[in-house]
Amino acid sequence: MPLSLLVVLVLLIGVVVGLRSMTGPALVCWGSYLGWLSLAHTPLGFLSSKISLVIFSLLAVGELVADKLPKTPSRISAVPLGARLVSGALCGAALVLAAGIWIVVGLAAGAIGALLGAFAGYHVRRALTSGNRFPDLPVALLEDLIAIGTGLFVVSRF
């Protein structure tokens, strides 16, 4: 796979994480479990375990539910944004390790993608729901579908 395509895919998994912080790691675990990603002999081999698969999948489902609650903090506030940066870097590192290239590329591109996804997702959702243009729930569900679909597309390319 050309390096430029790999960087685009890593940025995209970061964008997924920016939209839903636990969806990216859950999909990386699923990609490894399904044999799309080979992480077994890498520093992130733990993402191939069934325990990681279950934990990250449960966290992702919990986040999908929590996102719809009125008291959920903004994704661009300090703690949620920091979690997205770490999660994006983790997912980016996993993808580049599966492709056999430098981990630094994945860490940086995954974190940058997470920033892009968090801020873009926040502003698009806010624009669509402000002034009662669209109800929040359908917009949030569409965002869930975009995150999951994009993440599946990315991890299945390896």
Side-chain angles (χ1 to χ4, degrees):
M1 174 180 313
L3 181 60
S4 57
L5 176 58
L6 180 62
V7 171
V8 169
L9 291 173
V10 173
L11 281 168
L12 280 175
I13 200 69
V15 169
V16 167
V17 168
L19 298 175
R20 298 289 179 268
S21 63
M22 291 294 111
T23 297
L27 291 174
V28 166
C29 289
W30 276 102
S32 181
Y33 179 76
L34 294 171
W36 297 339
L37 302 171
S38 179
L39 297 173
H41 301 291
T42 72
L44 298 178
F46 71 93
L47 293 173
S48 298
S49 74
K50 287 184 183 179
I51 292 172
S52 292
L53 176 73
V54 169
I55 290 170
F56 280 113
S57 295
L58 290 173
L59 288 171
V61 169
E63 182 184 27
L64 292 174
V65 171
D67 175 65
K68 315 309 179 280
L69 302 175
K71 300 232 183 219
T72 302
S74 169
R75 73 183 89 195
I76 60 171
S77 60
V79 173
L81 188 59
R84 281 171 165 71
L85 287 171
V86 170
S87 186
L90 173 73
C91 291
L95 294 184
V96 299
L97 286 171
I101 68 162
W102 316 289
I103 194 169
V104 174
V105 172
L107 291 168
I112 290 167
L115 277 175
L116 293 171
F119 281 96
Y122 172 81
H123 289 294
V124 167
R125 185 165 168 182
R126 191 168 171 213
L128 290 173
T129 60
S130 67
N132 293 325
R133 198 179 267 174
F134 295 102
D136 187 62
L137 182 60
V139 174
L141 292 172
L142 178 60
E143 190 176 359
D144 293 343
L145 290 174
I146 290 169
I148 294 167
T150 302
L152 283 171
F153 172 80
V154 169
V155 298
S156 68
R157 299 298 118 196
F158 287 84

